[in-house]
Amino acid sequence: MKYLVVGGALVGGILLGFRPGGLSYPKPRWWRWLAMLSLALLVFLSFWIPTGGTFGGAEMVIIGRGHEAASPVLVEVIEANEGRITGQDENEQKATIDISSLPEATRSELTPGTSVILQLSKSENGGYAALRVIRMNPSITLPLLPALEERARNLYFHVPSAWLAQLAWFIAFAYAILFLRKGRLEDDIKASSTAAVGALFCVLATVTGSIWAKFNWGSFWNWDPRQVSIFIVLAIYGAWFALRSAISSSEQRARVSSIYLVLLALPVTFFIFVYPRITAGLHPGAEGSPTVGPVIDPNEIWLNPTKQALFALGFFAFSLLFFWMVNLSVRSRMIDRKRVASSEHRKEAMPHKAPEIEAIGG
Amino acid sequence: MDFFVENSIYVTLVIAGMILLGLLVYLNRIEARLRKLEGEKDQ
């Protein structure tokens, strides 16, 4: 089911990216609205859906961050007394919660049968104390991952960005081969535009990853194998930019750039998909990790249905954003090319005239 | 300050929404300019 949801969204995003009319044809209005609405929905749902954990998860957060740590727990109120409730989490574990610090109006709403997400911390007597109500009767929740807590929300942006940095190279590779076979400059424009937007997504993946790393691992950069690999991929993208800007002839630039894109396709794939999995590191999927990666692991325990849907939306929305940006880049460069071609044509059509040299100072 | 601590997720939602809005406005402006240069009517 997970592959169907996430893979379907990914394939759907890619197919829509090439339709209608490929990379160089203007996207119709409905297409752009679909891209904008899916992005807006992704941003909204990624932050609006509350996290609802369990008592076990709250205990693990306390073990990790100390007794003052608070975490959101989804409970169903079983019993309500003066200043206290008995709640049951989704694992059917029961606990007594001190709600005396909540406002009177909120306390009166916590009647038996009510479902509520409470921000809980440990009370002095060893039980739980509710600090505040996060959401009453939530219709949809995200699971609490004790190692990530609310920082897990970053992943709906970080993972699709990293994936598109790789996808961009695959597409650029295909157009580079087309250019080398047929010699059409239009294919070089498509290959280089795709790679340039891919580089932007690579930067986005690096920035979102390092901000996340600061709050999860304590430092912006940890030289984790996946950070090393994205650094190398960024350097490969950077070298490609330098290579293109160093050649003035458009034909020669296109040929050298296409050869570079073809030759580096395998190393880029190795650094994104293989290297972080054969070395020990902090990212899930590293050697010794219990999973090959939450998104691609066949065991559905790593991604519950709500997260699957959010990841699917993330891949779909980011794919459309990526293809829209590539489309704009291709079209603007085609216009530039036509302008240059027509000005060169005009120059050739004009009769040759010797340059007039004015004498300066008599 | 407590407001920002307690509602940090919603504050992030607003910031992310503003960044997204800016990006979409920027992309739509480029789209409109390109259509003008291409001499095409929006469908």
Side-chain angles (χ1 to χ4, degrees):
Chain A
M1 188 63 189
K2 181 165 76 173
Y3 290 147
L4 199 69
V5 174
V6 180
L10 195 59
V11 172
I14 295 169
L15 289 179
L16 264 175
F18 285 101
R19 298 275 164 217
L23 292 184
S24 53
Y25 187 78
K27 299 291 180 198
R29 187 176 282 174
W30 67 263
W31 194 100
R32 284 178 279 133
W33 271 107
L34 184 65
M36 289 189 278
L37 288 176
S38 54
L39 279 164
L41 198 64
L42 171 69
V43 168
F44 178 71
L45 291 179
S46 300
F47 293 104
W48 179 79
I49 299 177
T51 304
T54 58
F55 292 117
E59 289 295 333
M60 287 178 77
V61 171
I62 288 164
I63 291 168
R65 286 202 287 133
H67 264 262
E68 287 172 7
S71 57
V73 178
L74 172 65
V75 293
E76 190 190 338
V77 180
I78 304 286
E79 210 178 306
N81 294 318
E82 193 62 32
R84 268 175 200 283
I85 59 164
T86 304
Q88 180 175 284
D89 68 9
E90 63 173 22
N91 294 336
E92 297 187 353
Q93 188 185 339
K94 289 178 189 166
T96 306
I97 303 163
D98 179 1
I99 56 165
S100 57
S101 61
L102 299 179
E104 177 60 41
T106 311
R107 286 206 303 257
S108 62
E109 284 180 52
L110 298 175
T111 52
T114 312
S115 189
V116 61
I117 300 177
L118 294 166
Q119 185 80 346
L120 296 185
S121 69
K122 275 281 183 192
S123 63
E124 284 170 4
N125 60 11
Y128 292 102
L131 303 178
R132 64 190 176 94
V133 171
I134 291 176
R135 188 86 48 97
M136 294 288 283
N137 295 313
S139 50
I140 188 168
T141 58
L142 285 166
L144 172 75
L145 302 174
L148 305 180
E149 299 183 56
E150 300 294 0
R151 297 180 293 275
R153 294 173 194 273
N154 172 56
L155 300 180
Y156 311 119
F157 305 92
H158 172 66
V159 178
S161 314
W163 160 247
L164 280 162
Q166 170 68 72
L167 178 73
W169 203 284
F170 284 148
I171 298 171
F173 168 77
Y175 278 112
I177 286 189
L178 271 177
F179 172 79
L180 292 172
R181 286 188 64 187
K182 298 188 175 170
R184 290 182 310 208
L185 268 178
E186 191 185 324
D187 288 328
D188 171 63
I189 290 177
K190 285 176 184 171
S192 53
S193 297
T194 310
V197 178
L200 193 69
F201 277 80
C202 197
V203 171
L204 194 64
T206 311
V207 170
T208 50
S210 60
I211 292 172
W212 181 85
K214 170 69 182 167
F215 295 101
N216 218 61
W217 300 330
S219 158
F220 284 109
W221 203 258
N222 312 74
W223 295 109
D224 169 69
R226 201 166 271 281
Q227 290 178 328
V228 172
S229 67
I230 202 128
F231 176 76
I232 294 171
V233 173
L234 269 177
I236 290 173
Y237 268 119
W240 173 77
F241 277 117
L243 186 70
R244 274 191 80 88
S245 61
I247 304 169
S248 56
S249 153
S250 58
E251 286 280 345
Q252 200 185 358
R253 180 172 58 227
R255 201 172 307 112
V256 173
S257 158
S258 297
I259 292 168
Y260 183 90
L261 287 172
V262 171
L263 287 180
L264 270 292
L266 201 61
V268 166
T269 311
F270 172 80
F271 281 114
I272 288 189
F273 286 120
V274 183
Y275 175 68
R277 290 194 166 79
I278 56 171
T279 43
L282 297 163
H283 275 82
E287 196 200 32
S289 163
T291 170
V292 288
V295 178
I296 59 168
D297 197 311
N299 193 340
E300 301 223 354
I301 199 170
W302 295 103
L303 221 58
N304 84 332
T306 316
K307 293 183 95 179
Q308 285 175 27
L310 270 177
F311 266 110
L313 182 62
F315 283 125
F316 182 75
F318 267 63
S319 299
L320 293 192
L321 175 67
F322 168 80
F323 280 106
W324 190 6
M325 291 167 86
V326 171
N327 179 261
L328 293 176
S329 170
V330 169
R331 283 160 59 202
S332 68
R333 289 179 58 193
M334 298 276 240
I335 290 170
D336 274 351
R337 208 187 122 206
K338 274 183 196 161
R339 277 183 177 172
V340 171
S342 66
S343 70
E344 278 172 4
H345 183 73
R346 266 203 307 274
K347 270 184 200 164
E348 281 170 16
M350 277 171 73
H352 181 73
K353 200 176 166 188
E356 287 173 14
I357 302 165
E358 286 180 19
I360 299 169
Chain B
M1 198 63 197
D2 278 353
F3 173 83
F4 288 102
V5 173
E6 284 184 6
N7 299 292
S8 54
I9 293 170
Y10 301 114
V11 172
T12 317
L13 169 61
V14 172
I15 295 168
M18 283 161 69
I19 293 170
L20 177 68
L21 190 70
L23 176 70
L24 295 182
V25 167
Y26 180 63
L27 290 179
N28 274 300
R29 281 181 71 177
I30 299 175
E31 179 76 46
R33 274 184 201 175
L34 280 177
R35 277 178 193 274
K36 213 173 167 183
L37 289 168
E38 287 163 342
E40 271 193 35
K41 267 180 94 177
D42 198 356
Q43 298 151 27

